[in-house]
Amino acid sequence: MDKTFDIVVVGAGIAGVSAACELARTGLRVAILEMEQQPGYHATGRSAAILAQSYGNSVIRRLTRASEHFFRTPPAGFADHPLLSPRPILHVARADQAERLRRLFDDSNDDGKLLEWLDAEELAQAAPHLREGYAVCGFRNKEASDIDVNALLHGYLRLFRQAGGELHTSSAVGGMTFNGGRWTVETAKGGFSCRTLVNAAGAWAAELGKLAGARDMPLTPLRRSAVVIDAPEGLAVSDLPMVIDADEEFYIKPEAGKLMASPGDETPSPPCDAAPEEIDIAICIDRIEKAFGLDVRRIDSKWAGLRSFLPDRTPVCGFDADAPSFFWLAGQGGYGVQTAPAMAWLTAAIVTRQPPPAALSDARIAAEALSPSRIF
Ligand SMILES: Cc1cc2nc3c(=O)[nH]c(=O)nc-3n(C[C@H](O)[C@H](O)[C@H](O)COP(=O)(O)OP(=O)(O)OC[C@H]3O[C@@H](n4cnc5c(N)ncnc54)[C@H](O)[C@@H]3O)c2cc1C
Protein backbone atom coordinates (compact mmCIF):
# COMPACT_ATOMS: atom_id res chain seq x y z
CA MET A 1 0.00 0.00 0.00
CA ASP A 2 1.46 3.39 -1.01
CA LYS A 3 1.93 6.03 1.65
CA THR A 4 -0.24 9.00 0.68
CA PHE A 5 0.79 12.66 0.89
CA ASP A 6 -0.13 15.99 -0.67
CA ILE A 7 3.48 16.69 -1.53
CA VAL A 8 6.62 14.57 -1.87
CA VAL A 9 9.92 16.44 -1.85
CA VAL A 10 12.88 14.52 -3.27
CA GLY A 11 16.16 15.47 -1.56
CA ALA A 12 16.99 16.32 2.05
CA GLY A 13 19.60 18.97 1.36
CA ILE A 14 18.92 22.51 2.51
CA ALA A 15 16.70 23.21 -0.52
CA GLY A 16 14.39 20.23 0.02
CA VAL A 17 14.23 20.49 3.80
CA SER A 18 13.52 24.25 3.90
CA ALA A 19 10.85 24.03 1.18
CA ALA A 20 9.24 20.95 2.77
CA CYS A 21 9.11 22.81 6.08
CA GLU A 22 7.38 25.87 4.60
CA LEU A 23 4.93 23.62 2.71
CA ALA A 24 4.12 21.55 5.82
CA ARG A 25 3.52 24.77 7.79
CA THR A 26 0.66 25.62 5.39
CA GLY A 27 -1.17 22.50 6.61
CA LEU A 28 -0.27 20.19 3.71
CA ARG A 29 0.82 16.59 4.33
CA VAL A 30 4.45 16.48 3.19
CA ALA A 31 7.12 13.75 2.97
CA ILE A 32 10.81 14.15 2.13
CA LEU A 33 12.53 11.22 0.39
CA GLU A 34 16.32 11.11 0.73
CA MET A 35 18.55 8.44 -0.79
CA GLU A 36 21.32 8.78 1.83
CA GLN A 37 21.16 7.60 5.42
CA GLN A 38 21.12 11.17 6.73
CA PRO A 39 20.04 14.61 5.50
CA GLY A 40 22.58 17.15 4.24
CA TYR A 41 25.15 14.57 3.13
CA HIS A 42 25.95 16.12 -0.28
CA ALA A 43 26.41 19.83 -1.23
CA THR A 44 24.70 21.12 1.91
CA GLY A 45 27.13 19.38 4.27
CA ARG A 46 30.18 20.50 2.27
CA SER A 47 29.72 24.26 1.89
CA ALA A 48 31.90 27.13 3.03
CA ALA A 49 28.92 28.22 5.14
CA ILE A 50 29.04 31.90 4.24
CA LEU A 51 26.28 34.47 3.81
CA ALA A 52 27.61 37.13 1.45
CA GLN A 53 25.07 39.75 0.35
CA SER A 54 27.32 40.84 -2.54
CA TYR A 55 27.87 37.34 -4.00
CA GLY A 56 26.26 36.15 -7.24
CA ASN A 57 24.08 37.82 -9.87
CA SER A 58 21.35 40.34 -9.03
CA VAL A 59 18.63 37.67 -8.57
CA ILE A 60 20.87 35.78 -6.13
CA ARG A 61 21.70 38.98 -4.27
CA ARG A 62 18.00 39.81 -3.88
CA LEU A 63 17.23 36.26 -2.68
CA THR A 64 20.04 36.55 -0.14
CA ARG A 65 18.79 39.94 1.09
CA ALA A 66 15.25 38.55 1.40
CA SER A 67 16.60 35.58 3.41
CA GLU A 68 18.75 37.59 5.79
CA HIS A 69 15.98 38.49 8.23
CA PHE A 70 15.14 34.79 8.65
CA PHE A 71 18.77 33.99 9.49
CA ARG A 72 18.91 36.81 12.02
CA THR A 73 15.49 36.15 13.62
CA PRO A 74 14.38 32.57 12.91
CA PRO A 75 11.03 31.34 14.29
CA ALA A 76 10.86 30.59 18.03
CA GLY A 77 12.44 27.24 18.92
CA PHE A 78 14.32 27.00 15.60
CA ALA A 79 17.82 26.89 17.12
CA ASP A 80 19.25 27.35 20.60
CA HIS A 81 21.95 29.76 19.41
CA PRO A 82 22.26 32.37 16.62
CA LEU A 83 22.46 30.99 13.07
CA LEU A 84 24.88 33.74 11.99
CA SER A 85 28.15 35.02 13.37
CA PRO A 86 29.95 38.01 11.84
CA ARG A 87 32.62 37.17 9.26
CA PRO A 88 33.64 40.19 7.15
CA ILE A 89 34.81 39.35 3.64
CA LEU A 90 37.74 40.99 1.88
CA HIS A 91 38.01 40.71 -1.90
CA VAL A 92 41.64 41.31 -2.87
CA ALA A 93 43.39 42.05 -6.16
CA ARG A 94 46.95 41.83 -7.42
CA ALA A 95 47.99 44.66 -9.74
CA ASP A 96 46.88 42.66 -12.81
CA GLN A 97 43.42 42.09 -11.29
CA ALA A 98 42.72 45.62 -10.01
CA GLU A 99 40.47 46.73 -12.88
CA ARG A 100 38.35 43.57 -12.72
CA LEU A 101 37.94 43.95 -8.98
CA ARG A 102 36.80 47.56 -9.41
CA ARG A 103 34.12 46.36 -11.88
CA LEU A 104 33.00 43.65 -9.44
CA PHE A 105 32.77 46.30 -6.70
CA ASP A 106 30.67 48.61 -8.89
CA ASP A 107 28.41 45.76 -10.05
CA SER A 108 27.69 44.23 -6.65
CA ASN A 109 27.53 47.28 -4.35
CA ASP A 110 23.74 47.42 -4.72
CA ASP A 111 22.78 50.08 -2.17
CA GLY A 112 26.12 51.89 -2.45
CA LYS A 113 26.71 51.24 1.26
CA LEU A 114 27.36 47.52 1.70
CA LEU A 115 30.87 47.49 0.27
CA GLU A 116 33.85 49.63 1.15
CA TRP A 117 36.81 50.16 -1.21
CA LEU A 118 40.27 49.73 0.36
CA ASP A 119 43.69 50.88 -0.84
CA ALA A 120 46.82 48.79 -0.26
CA GLU A 121 47.48 50.29 3.17
CA GLU A 122 43.91 49.81 4.42
CA LEU A 123 43.97 46.28 3.05
CA ALA A 124 47.17 45.43 4.93
CA GLN A 125 45.48 46.54 8.15
CA ALA A 126 42.32 44.57 7.45
CA ALA A 127 44.16 41.37 6.46
CA PRO A 128 47.49 41.34 8.34
CA HIS A 129 48.12 37.76 7.21
CA LEU A 130 48.35 38.74 3.48
CA ARG A 131 51.95 38.71 2.17
CA GLU A 132 53.34 42.23 2.03
CA GLY A 133 53.05 43.66 -1.47
CA TYR A 134 50.79 40.84 -2.75
CA ALA A 135 47.58 42.84 -3.17
CA VAL A 136 47.22 46.43 -4.39
CA CYS A 137 43.55 47.04 -3.54
CA GLY A 138 40.44 45.37 -2.27
CA PHE A 139 36.96 45.83 -0.92
CA ARG A 140 35.24 44.78 2.26
CA ASN A 141 31.76 43.46 2.99
CA LYS A 142 31.39 44.14 6.71
CA GLU A 143 27.92 42.58 6.94
CA ALA A 144 28.85 39.07 5.76
CA SER A 145 28.46 36.17 8.20
CA ASP A 146 29.31 32.56 8.88
CA ILE A 147 26.18 30.39 8.80
CA ASP A 148 25.71 27.46 11.19
CA VAL A 149 24.49 25.18 8.38
CA ASN A 150 23.90 22.22 10.65
CA ALA A 151 21.70 24.30 12.98
CA LEU A 152 19.85 25.70 9.95
CA LEU A 153 19.16 22.26 8.46
CA HIS A 154 18.09 20.74 11.76
CA GLY A 155 16.04 23.80 12.73
CA TYR A 156 14.02 23.39 9.53
CA LEU A 157 13.70 19.65 10.16
CA ARG A 158 12.43 20.25 13.70
CA LEU A 159 9.76 22.67 12.45
CA PHE A 160 8.91 20.30 9.59
CA ARG A 161 8.28 17.40 11.99
CA GLN A 162 6.29 19.63 14.36
CA ALA A 163 4.04 20.44 11.37
CA GLY A 164 3.48 16.69 10.79
CA GLY A 165 6.09 16.21 8.04
CA GLU A 166 7.90 12.88 7.55
CA LEU A 167 11.54 12.42 6.54
CA HIS A 168 12.31 9.06 4.91
CA THR A 169 16.06 8.41 4.56
CA SER A 170 17.68 5.53 2.61
CA SER A 171 14.80 6.06 0.18
CA ALA A 172 16.26 6.67 -3.29
CA VAL A 173 13.59 7.50 -5.83
CA GLY A 174 14.05 5.04 -8.69
CA GLY A 175 10.94 5.65 -10.76
CA MET A 176 7.67 7.55 -10.90
CA THR A 177 4.44 7.59 -12.86
CA PHE A 178 1.57 10.08 -13.06
CA ASN A 179 -1.95 8.67 -13.18
CA GLY A 180 -5.38 9.98 -12.24
CA GLY A 181 -3.95 13.28 -11.01
CA ARG A 182 -1.38 11.70 -8.68
CA TRP A 183 2.28 10.73 -8.78
CA THR A 184 3.30 7.26 -7.66
CA VAL A 185 6.93 7.37 -6.53
CA GLU A 186 8.95 4.16 -6.22
CA THR A 187 11.66 3.72 -3.57
CA ALA A 188 13.44 0.71 -2.10
CA LYS A 189 11.29 1.26 1.00
CA GLY A 190 8.03 1.11 -0.93
CA GLY A 191 5.72 3.41 -2.84
CA PHE A 192 4.59 6.97 -2.07
CA SER A 193 1.62 8.71 -3.65
CA CYS A 194 1.26 12.49 -3.92
CA ARG A 195 -0.44 15.24 -5.90
CA THR A 196 2.71 17.35 -6.33
CA LEU A 197 6.32 16.26 -6.57
CA VAL A 198 9.08 18.75 -5.69
CA ASN A 199 12.45 18.01 -7.27
CA ALA A 200 15.14 19.21 -4.83
CA ALA A 201 17.62 16.52 -5.82
CA GLY A 202 20.66 18.83 -6.10
CA ALA A 203 23.20 17.51 -8.63
CA TRP A 204 20.74 14.71 -9.52
CA ALA A 205 17.84 17.06 -10.33
CA ALA A 206 18.18 16.79 -14.13
CA GLU A 207 18.22 12.96 -13.87
CA LEU A 208 15.13 13.00 -11.68
CA GLY A 209 13.45 15.28 -14.23
CA LYS A 210 14.11 12.68 -16.95
CA LEU A 211 12.49 9.95 -14.82
CA ALA A 212 9.37 12.13 -14.63
CA GLY A 213 9.30 12.91 -18.37
CA ALA A 214 9.99 16.57 -17.60
CA ARG A 215 11.96 19.06 -19.71
CA ASP A 216 15.66 18.28 -20.21
CA MET A 217 17.08 20.76 -17.68
CA PRO A 218 20.54 22.09 -18.71
CA LEU A 219 21.94 21.69 -15.20
CA THR A 220 25.70 21.26 -14.78
CA PRO A 221 27.18 20.02 -11.50
CA LEU A 222 30.59 21.67 -10.97
CA ARG A 223 33.02 20.19 -8.46
CA ARG A 224 34.53 22.52 -5.85
CA SER A 225 37.30 21.41 -3.49
CA ALA A 226 38.29 22.55 -0.03
CA VAL A 227 41.00 21.88 2.54
CA VAL A 228 41.53 22.64 6.20
CA ILE A 229 45.09 23.48 7.27
CA ASP A 230 46.70 24.44 10.56
CA ALA A 231 46.96 28.17 11.24
CA PRO A 232 50.54 29.50 11.20
CA GLU A 233 52.02 29.62 14.69
CA GLY A 234 51.35 32.88 16.50
CA LEU A 235 48.44 33.92 14.23
CA ALA A 236 45.14 34.28 16.09
CA VAL A 237 42.77 33.23 13.34
CA SER A 238 39.28 33.32 14.80
CA ASP A 239 38.64 37.04 14.12
CA LEU A 240 40.31 37.16 10.70
CA PRO A 241 38.10 38.06 7.73
CA MET A 242 37.41 35.66 4.89
CA VAL A 243 39.72 36.63 2.00
CA ILE A 244 38.63 36.02 -1.61
CA ASP A 245 40.79 36.51 -4.68
CA ALA A 246 39.37 38.96 -7.27
CA ASP A 247 38.89 36.13 -9.79
CA GLU A 248 37.83 33.63 -7.08
CA GLU A 249 41.07 31.73 -7.70
CA PHE A 250 41.20 31.07 -3.96
CA TYR A 251 39.41 31.86 -0.77
CA ILE A 252 40.42 31.28 2.81
CA LYS A 253 38.59 31.69 6.10
CA PRO A 254 38.93 30.70 9.75
CA GLU A 255 37.39 27.36 10.65
CA ALA A 256 37.37 26.21 14.29
CA GLY A 257 40.85 27.56 15.08
CA LYS A 258 42.27 26.44 11.73
CA LEU A 259 42.02 27.78 8.17
CA MET A 260 39.69 26.50 5.47
CA ALA A 261 40.73 27.24 1.87
CA SER A 262 39.49 26.49 -1.64
CA PRO A 263 41.05 26.95 -5.10
CA GLY A 264 37.62 28.06 -6.38
CA ASP A 265 37.60 25.17 -8.87
CA GLU A 266 34.59 24.55 -11.12
CA THR A 267 35.13 21.20 -12.85
CA PRO A 268 32.10 19.65 -14.59
CA SER A 269 31.18 16.31 -13.01
CA PRO A 270 28.42 13.76 -13.26
CA PRO A 271 26.25 13.65 -10.13
CA CYS A 272 28.21 11.61 -7.57
CA ASP A 273 29.68 11.51 -4.08
CA ALA A 274 32.33 14.08 -5.04
CA ALA A 275 35.93 13.72 -3.87
CA PRO A 276 38.80 16.18 -4.37
CA GLU A 277 41.47 15.59 -7.03
CA GLU A 278 45.11 15.87 -5.90
CA ILE A 279 45.79 18.49 -8.57
CA ASP A 280 43.11 20.85 -7.23
CA ILE A 281 44.44 20.50 -3.70
CA ALA A 282 47.99 21.24 -4.95
CA ILE A 283 46.76 24.33 -6.83
CA CYS A 284 44.92 25.52 -3.72
CA ILE A 285 48.00 25.20 -1.52
CA ASP A 286 50.21 26.91 -4.12
CA ARG A 287 47.86 29.89 -4.43
CA ILE A 288 47.44 30.48 -0.71
CA GLU A 289 51.18 30.00 -0.07
CA LYS A 290 51.86 32.76 -2.63
CA ALA A 291 49.21 35.11 -1.29
CA PHE A 292 49.89 34.64 2.41
CA GLY A 293 53.56 33.63 2.47
CA LEU A 294 52.54 30.39 4.20
CA ASP A 295 54.48 27.16 4.25
CA VAL A 296 51.79 24.48 4.34
CA ARG A 297 53.27 21.25 5.68
CA ARG A 298 50.14 19.31 6.56
CA ILE A 299 46.57 19.08 5.34
CA ASP A 300 44.15 18.50 8.16
CA SER A 301 41.21 17.45 5.99
CA LYS A 302 39.96 17.85 2.43
CA TRP A 303 36.69 17.38 0.61
CA ALA A 304 34.76 18.34 -2.49
CA GLY A 305 31.14 19.01 -3.27
CA LEU A 306 29.04 19.68 -6.36
CA ARG A 307 27.64 23.15 -7.01
CA SER A 308 24.98 22.75 -9.70
CA PHE A 309 24.35 25.62 -12.11
CA LEU A 310 21.97 26.51 -14.94
CA PRO A 311 23.53 28.51 -17.79
CA ASP A 312 22.40 31.89 -16.34
CA ARG A 313 23.59 30.95 -12.82
CA THR A 314 20.09 31.57 -11.44
CA PRO A 315 18.18 28.73 -9.73
CA VAL A 316 14.98 27.27 -11.12
CA CYS A 317 11.83 27.39 -8.97
CA GLY A 318 8.53 26.52 -10.63
CA PHE A 319 6.33 23.90 -12.31
CA ASP A 320 7.55 22.00 -15.37
CA ALA A 321 5.73 22.72 -18.65
CA ASP A 322 5.53 19.04 -19.68
CA ALA A 323 5.37 16.86 -16.58
CA PRO A 324 2.16 17.62 -14.62
CA SER A 325 2.49 18.82 -11.01
CA PHE A 326 6.27 18.41 -11.18
CA PHE A 327 8.07 21.27 -9.46
CA TRP A 328 11.71 22.24 -10.04
CA LEU A 329 13.77 23.52 -7.09
CA ALA A 330 17.31 23.22 -8.38
CA GLY A 331 20.40 25.00 -9.69
CA GLN A 332 21.27 26.81 -6.44
CA GLY A 333 24.95 26.80 -7.46
CA GLY A 334 27.24 28.27 -4.81
CA TYR A 335 24.45 30.13 -3.01
CA GLY A 336 21.94 27.47 -1.94
CA VAL A 337 22.43 27.91 1.79
CA GLN A 338 22.27 31.70 1.92
CA THR A 339 19.21 31.83 -0.36
CA ALA A 340 17.32 28.85 1.16
CA PRO A 341 14.75 30.79 3.25
CA ALA A 342 13.63 32.92 0.29
CA MET A 343 13.60 29.97 -2.13
CA ALA A 344 11.50 27.96 0.35
CA TRP A 345 8.94 30.79 0.70
CA LEU A 346 8.73 31.17 -3.07
CA THR A 347 8.22 27.41 -3.50
CA ALA A 348 5.42 27.33 -0.91
CA ALA A 349 3.74 30.40 -2.48
CA ILE A 350 3.77 28.95 -6.02
CA VAL A 351 2.72 25.42 -4.99
CA THR A 352 -0.15 26.66 -2.81
CA ARG A 353 -1.03 29.42 -5.31
CA GLN A 354 -0.75 32.11 -2.63
CA PRO A 355 0.83 35.55 -3.09
CA PRO A 356 4.51 35.56 -2.09
CA PRO A 357 5.30 36.92 1.40
CA ALA A 358 6.28 40.58 1.78
CA ALA A 359 9.97 39.67 2.23
CA LEU A 360 10.04 38.53 -1.41
CA SER A 361 8.04 41.39 -2.91
CA ASP A 362 10.01 43.94 -0.85
CA ALA A 363 13.21 42.49 -2.35
CA ARG A 364 11.63 42.76 -5.84
CA ILE A 365 11.86 39.02 -6.49
CA ALA A 366 9.64 38.11 -9.43
CA ALA A 367 8.70 34.43 -9.79
CA GLU A 368 9.28 34.75 -13.57
CA ALA A 369 13.00 35.38 -13.01
CA LEU A 370 13.27 31.89 -11.51
CA SER A 371 10.67 30.10 -13.61
CA PRO A 372 11.63 27.09 -15.80
CA SER A 373 9.92 28.90 -18.70
CA ARG A 374 12.82 31.41 -18.84
CA ILE A 375 15.11 28.51 -19.81
CA PHE A 376 13.15 26.90 -22.67
C1 LIG B 1 32.77 23.69 -1.45
C2 LIG B 1 31.42 24.36 -1.47
C3 LIG B 1 31.26 25.61 -0.88
C4 LIG B 1 30.00 26.22 -0.85
N1 LIG B 1 29.86 27.38 -0.13
C5 LIG B 1 28.63 27.95 -0.01
C6 LIG B 1 28.45 29.09 0.82
O1 LIG B 1 29.39 29.59 1.43
N2 LIG B 1 27.19 29.63 0.91
C7 LIG B 1 26.12 29.09 0.25
O2 LIG B 1 25.01 29.61 0.36
N3 LIG B 1 26.28 27.99 -0.53
C8 LIG B 1 27.50 27.40 -0.66
N4 LIG B 1 27.65 26.29 -1.43
C9 LIG B 1 26.52 25.81 -2.22
C10 LIG B 1 25.50 25.07 -1.38
O3 LIG B 1 26.17 24.08 -0.61
C11 LIG B 1 24.49 24.43 -2.34
O4 LIG B 1 23.93 25.41 -3.21
C12 LIG B 1 23.32 23.82 -1.55
O5 LIG B 1 23.80 22.99 -0.52
C13 LIG B 1 22.45 23.00 -2.50
O6 LIG B 1 21.45 22.39 -1.71
P1 LIG B 1 20.53 21.26 -2.33
O7 LIG B 1 19.59 20.87 -1.27
O8 LIG B 1 19.99 21.75 -3.63
O9 LIG B 1 21.54 20.07 -2.72
P2 LIG B 1 22.10 18.86 -1.85
O10 LIG B 1 22.55 19.31 -0.50
O11 LIG B 1 23.10 18.17 -2.70
O12 LIG B 1 20.84 17.95 -1.63
C14 LIG B 1 20.25 17.18 -2.64
C15 LIG B 1 19.82 15.88 -2.02
O13 LIG B 1 19.05 15.11 -2.94
C16 LIG B 1 19.32 13.75 -2.67
N5 LIG B 1 18.90 12.96 -3.85
C17 LIG B 1 19.37 13.08 -5.12
N6 LIG B 1 18.75 12.20 -5.95
C18 LIG B 1 17.86 11.51 -5.18
C19 LIG B 1 16.92 10.48 -5.45
N7 LIG B 1 16.76 9.96 -6.68
N8 LIG B 1 16.17 10.00 -4.43
C20 LIG B 1 16.29 10.52 -3.16
N9 LIG B 1 17.19 11.50 -2.85
C21 LIG B 1 17.95 12.00 -3.85
C22 LIG B 1 20.81 13.73 -2.42
O14 LIG B 1 21.21 12.58 -1.72
C23 LIG B 1 21.00 15.01 -1.62
O15 LIG B 1 20.97 14.78 -0.22
C24 LIG B 1 28.89 25.62 -1.48
C25 LIG B 1 29.05 24.36 -2.09
C26 LIG B 1 30.28 23.73 -2.08
C27 LIG B 1 30.40 22.38 -2.68
Side-chain angles (χ1 to χ4, degrees):
M1 177 73 177
D2 292 344
K3 296 188 179 76
T4 303
F5 294 87
D6 296 312
I7 317 258
V8 162
V9 176
V10 182
I14 193 58
V17 168
S18 53
C21 176
E22 295 300 346
L23 285 162
R25 274 157 47 107
T26 69
L28 292 166
R29 219 170 119 59
V30 185
I32 307 174
L33 303 181
E34 167 56 50
M35 66 182 175
E36 303 293 351
Q37 289 172 15
Q38 81 255 22
Y41 176 78
H42 289 287
T44 298
R46 305 174 191 210
S47 90
I50 276 284
L51 182 149
Q53 302 85 343
S54 55
Y55 196 35
N57 67 31
S58 67
V59 179
I60 299 292
R61 298 201 300 272
R62 276 183 259 144
L63 288 165
T64 304
R65 280 297 198 187
S67 299
E68 209 175 335
H69 183 69
F70 181 96
F71 284 110
R72 297 200 187 279
T73 50
F78 193 87
D80 55 15
H81 57 273
L83 295 171
L84 299 184
S85 40
R87 177 69 61 207
I89 298 180
L90 288 182
H91 295 254
V92 303
R94 300 182 306 263
D96 61 302
Q97 298 172 307
E99 260 180 52
R100 281 196 297 284
L101 191 72
R102 186 73 215 189
R103 274 199 300 277
L104 183 65
F105 174 81
D106 291 338
D107 287 350
S108 44
N109 197 12
D110 290 324
D111 61 2
K113 287 187 251 165
L114 173 67
L115 306 177
E116 184 189 357
W117 188 257
L118 304 175
D119 63 23
E121 210 173 300
E122 292 162 326
L123 198 57
Q125 272 181 11
H129 54 323
L130 264 177
R131 186 167 59 74
E132 209 184 321
Y134 175 82
V136 297
C137 57
F139 66 80
R140 173 165 45 202
N141 172 355
K142 272 200 242 172
E143 291 176 31
S145 299
D146 282 332
I147 305 172
D148 185 334
V149 179
N150 194 48
L152 180 70
L153 187 74
H154 288 278
Y156 271 124
L157 274 174
R158 193 173 307 119
L159 245 58
F160 171 66
R161 289 193 175 106
Q162 280 167 8
E166 290 182 22
L167 167 66
H168 295 264
T169 51
S170 305
S171 299
V173 172
M176 60 187 104
T177 48
F178 189 76
N179 250 317
R182 295 191 74 83
W183 285 101
T184 301
V185 182
E186 302 302 335
T187 79
K189 286 197 178 166
F192 290 76
S193 162
C194 61
R195 281 192 281 117
T196 301
L197 197 128
V198 175
N199 176 3
W204 290 264
E207 288 189 356
L208 196 79
K210 281 190 193 131
L211 280 182
R215 290 279 169 101
D216 199 358
M217 193 57 74
L219 186 74
T220 309
L222 301 176
R223 190 180 62 239
R224 174 150 293 187
S225 317
V227 293
V228 170
I229 56 171
D230 290 333
E233 225 163 279
L235 183 70
V237 291
S238 60
D239 291 333
L240 287 176
M242 179 176 193
V243 178
I244 307 184
D245 167 77
D247 297 314
E248 214 173 313
E249 286 183 354
F250 68 79
Y251 60 75
I252 188 162
K253 61 170 275 206
E255 168 94 11
K258 297 177 188 272
L259 291 168
M260 177 227 163
S262 169
D265 47 333
E266 294 198 335
T267 311
S269 161
C272 65
D273 189 354
E277 301 268 330
E278 284 308 322
I279 181 74
D280 293 320
I281 300 302
I283 290 170
C284 180
I285 299 300
D286 181 57
R287 288 177 182 166
I288 59 170
E289 283 188 339
K290 285 195 176 114
F292 296 91
L294 296 176
D295 177 19
V296 178
R297 299 269 168 93
R298 197 179 73 84
I299 289 171
D300 196 77
S301 59
K302 56 184 175 180
W303 69 93
L306 299 178
R307 301 154 81 242
S308 299
F309 289 92
L310 288 153
D312 60 4
R313 295 208 158 213
T314 298
V316 59
C317 183
F319 282 106
D320 191 79
D322 291 344
S325 302
F326 183 85
F327 193 93
W328 288 96
L329 178 58
Q332 290 85 346
Y335 333 97
V337 181
Q338 65 181 41
T339 56
M343 292 291 288
W345 289 325
L346 186 61
T347 300
I350 299 173
V351 169
T352 59
R353 301 189 202 299
Q354 293 298 310
L360 297 185
S361 33
D362 290 353
R364 291 178 294 111
I365 294 162
E368 300 75 52
L370 294 129
S371 156
S373 62
R374 78 176 198 276
I375 297 163
F376 302 105

